[in-house]
């Protein structure tokens, strides 16, 4: 199995940008369907982005589409999520996940990182 570690979160003013990292070890992340989710206190995990292994492209949630970009560095076995024009509503712990099936449902993923916290101030 693959192990995942997120990093890059922090405190950012509204309108700023962050680039989050998901570093994998044990297996190649490219062997898995990969997703990004976020979770605010008292809420369930929310879909952010996921790659369709058949198409090889990323699908974004409407809440971040147009201001988010996913990139990957296969040599570093790392996937990145950059979010621009951050809003207070983006405040959450962000997780990357891996599994056999790309989906908007968190339960479709088997492996999860520990999360990295993003706080957006107004």
């Amino acid at each position: 199995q693959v192990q995942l570690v997120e990093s890059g979160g922090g405190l950012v003013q509204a309108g700023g940008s962050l680039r989050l990292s998901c570093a994998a070890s044990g297996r190649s992340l490219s062997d898995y369907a990969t997703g990004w989710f976020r979770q605010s206190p008292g809420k369930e995990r929310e879909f952010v982005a996921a790659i369709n292994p058949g198409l090889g492209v990323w699908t974004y949630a409407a809440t971040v589409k147009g201001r988010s970009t996913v990139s990957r560095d296969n040599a570093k076995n790392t996937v990145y999520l950059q979010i621009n024009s951050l809003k207070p509503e983006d405040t959450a712990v962000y997780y990357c996940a891996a599994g056999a099936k790309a989906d908007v449902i968190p339960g479709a993923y088997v492996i999860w990182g520990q999360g990295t916290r993003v706080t957006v101030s107004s």
Side-chain angles (χ1 to χ4, degrees):
Q1 65 177 9
V2 66
Q3 294 81 45
L4 306 175
V5 178
E6 301 95 334
S7 62
L11 176 62
V12 184
Q13 293 184 6
S17 300
L18 278 177
R19 177 174 290 183
L20 309 181
S21 299
C22 176
S25 62
R27 295 281 301 278
S28 175
L29 193 56
S30 64
D31 292 338
Y32 296 84
T34 305
W36 282 96
F37 292 79
R38 64 188 183 185
Q39 186 169 20
S40 300
K43 297 183 178 181
E44 297 293 326
R45 291 187 184 184
E46 175 189 13
F47 169 75
V48 177
I51 188 168
N52 185 321
L55 298 178
V57 298
W58 286 85
T59 299
Y60 298 89
T63 49
V64 300
K65 189 174 184 179
R67 58 190 182 96
S68 297
T69 302
V70 176
S71 60
R72 61 195 307 168
D73 186 335
N74 289 331
K76 295 183 177 180
N77 204 16
T78 300
V79 173
Y80 304 92
L81 172 65
Q82 179 162 329
I83 308 177
N84 303 317
S85 301
L86 285 161
K87 308 173 182 179
E89 304 90 89
D90 295 320
T91 296
V93 176
Y94 284 72
Y95 299 88
C96 63
K101 177 184 177 182
D103 209 329
V104 300
I105 302 174
Y109 300 86
V110 178
I111 306 298
W112 293 84
Q114 87 291 344
T116 184
R117 183 176 299 276
V118 172
T119 302
V120 183
S121 63
S122 59

